[in-house]
Amino acid sequence: MMKIALIGASGNAGSRIAAELSSRGHKVTAIARDASRITALPGVTPLALDIADTAALADALKGHDAVVSSVHFLASDAEQLIGAVKASGVRRYLVVGGAGSLEVAPGVKLFDTPQFPPEYKAEATKGGAFLDRLKTESDLDWTFLSPSAVFVPGTRTGTFRLGEDQLLQNENGSSISFEDYAIALVDEIETPRHSRRRFTVGY
């Protein structure tokens, strides 16, 4: 059993990560602006917090084995989040990433392709900048997990592939459910294989 702080626990990915952690017997501090939106689950303790309050966030993160952040990049600040984790003394930091910064060809990122939806470009670009910032970080044992291009509600199959910096695709395109993404993330928490690296999950 581990103690995990989950920032953004009420969101699409965050709620599935909380459920996966709970099902495996971990203790979760589930952080969200509105704690009433956090699903009641065994071992999950809701905490209402404005993550822009760095001191309060750092205090809430203290004493955990790992921190997971599952928040929109445009709605958060990389320096502030990283600073709060470092101030808390927690060494392990896992980030729910985006697909936009994955490569579709050598040196060509998904968000730089003509078919990338323009309405997602700002979020994807900021996610890529977050990853670049983590790569400069020597004090944290970080991991950035990018989903496939289509990241949607689905079923928990437990059957998926892992990759590194290249977008995973199959005959049906590039997708992963929130539920299977959560499995891959919690597997990484329990058995770290991608320390100070980005990896990706897809079908």
Side-chain angles (χ1 to χ4, degrees):
M1 188 270 288
M2 299 173 71
K3 287 183 65 180
I4 310 298
L6 174 59
I7 304 167
S10 63
N12 281 321
S15 60
R16 272 73 169 191
I17 294 164
E20 186 68 26
L21 286 165
S22 172
S23 73
R24 300 195 199 186
H26 298 295
K27 298 294 184 187
V28 182
T29 301
I31 299 168
R33 188 183 296 272
D34 181 358
S36 69
R37 295 182 58 215
I38 296 170
T39 305
L41 292 166
V44 175
T45 303
L47 176 63
L49 190 69
D50 180 356
I51 63 169
D53 185 338
T54 306
L57 180 58
D59 192 54
L61 301 180
K62 288 178 182 174
H64 290 84
D65 297 304
V67 174
V68 177
S69 68
S70 178
V71 292
H72 288 294
F73 296 112
L74 288 175
S76 58
D77 179 81
E79 291 300 328
Q80 185 264 335
L81 282 172
I82 292 168
V85 177
K86 289 168 71 172
S88 76
V90 179
R91 294 278 300 164
R92 292 196 65 206
Y93 181 39
L94 297 97
V95 176
V96 175
S101 58
L102 291 166
E103 291 188 344
V104 292
V108 180
K109 294 178 179 177
L110 179 62
F111 59 48
D112 288 330
T113 61
Q115 63 268 34
F116 191 81
E119 63 269 27
Y120 298 134
K121 185 70 178 279
E123 174 74 13
T125 303
K126 197 167 182 193
F130 198 121
L131 175 59
D132 290 341
R133 171 62 183 84
L134 285 171
K135 289 177 179 177
T136 71
E137 188 56 56
S138 58
D139 293 333
L140 287 177
D141 181 6
W142 62 269
T143 299
F144 188 99
L145 176 53
S146 288
S148 290
V150 179
F151 192 26
V152 290
T155 54
R156 185 187 185 282
T157 70
T159 302
F160 47 78
R161 295 180 294 151
L162 300 180
E164 293 187 354
D165 289 311
Q166 288 73 42
L167 183 73
L168 293 173
Q169 301 185 73
N170 61 20
E171 65 277 7
N172 298 314
S174 173
S175 66
I176 190 70
S177 70
F178 294 126
E179 291 78 3
D180 280 338
Y181 177 96
I183 296 174
L185 187 86
V186 178
D187 285 350
E188 181 69 21
I189 292 172
E190 293 180 340
T191 309
R193 294 190 176 92
H194 301 88
S195 177
R196 294 187 171 88
R197 282 194 291 155
R198 184 254 293 276
F199 74 114
T200 187
V201 56
Y203 296 128

